[in-house]
Amino acid sequence: MSIPAGPKLDFIEASETTISLQFQPLSSIERYEVQWKLVEHEWSNPAGSTNATASGKSPNVRAEAAELTPGMTYCIRACCIDPSGAKGVPGPELIIDTEQVGCTPKADKSCCTIQ
């Protein structure tokens, strides 16, 4: 039996150094590998990856790309992994920017009074 293509990723949120996402698991696959790279780089040397496992407790699998550089554009994709450890072809790519490092006070920590 062939390994299915990776799932479509859904964006949850991005911070300066992380991108959170989720996807619906395929019924025949329990393990996935989520990979990421800077958008201008090739997939032959991804910047990072993490494993994600489907759980019967949740309808979605959550994953996080971590230790990213602020203000950069990343390309993220997922592959299915069969029980023998073989990977299928990657699913559709998701392109997301990490947040820029801010130099102004956070809204919840600043106060301004106009008289």
Side-chain angles (χ1 to χ4, degrees), residues 5-6 59 74:
Y74 286 88

Side-chain angles (χ1 to χ4, degrees), residues 13-64:
E13 67 181 345
S15 70
E16 294 171 353
T17 59
T18 61
I19 296 173
S20 299
L21 49 95
Q22 67 182 5
F23 56 90
Q24 291 184 338
L26 304 171
S27 61
S28 60
I29 301 292
E30 290 183 13
R31 291 178 48 220
Y32 302 86
E33 181 181 56
V34 177
Q35 306 169 332
W36 58 89
K37 68 176 185 76
L38 289 169
V39 74
E40 65 270 11
H41 292 178
E42 298 295 323
W43 278 114
S44 58
N45 189 21
S49 67
T50 188
N51 289 324
T53 305
S55 165
K57 298 176 183 177
S58 173
N60 292 318
V61 175
R62 289 185 64 127
E64 186 174 271

Side-chain angles (χ1 to χ4, degrees), residues 66-110:
E67 299 180 17
L68 306 177
T69 304
M72 301 300 287
T73 302
Y74 286 88
C75 189
I76 306 172
R77 67 184 185 180
C79 301
C80 297
I81 302 175
D82 74 3
S84 73
K87 292 180 195 174
V89 297
E93 297 176 355
L94 184 65
I95 298 174
I96 300 291
D97 295 334
T98 52
E99 294 291 320
Q100 195 69 265
V101 174
C103 60
T104 58
K106 301 276 186 212
D108 61 343
K109 296 182 181 177
S110 64

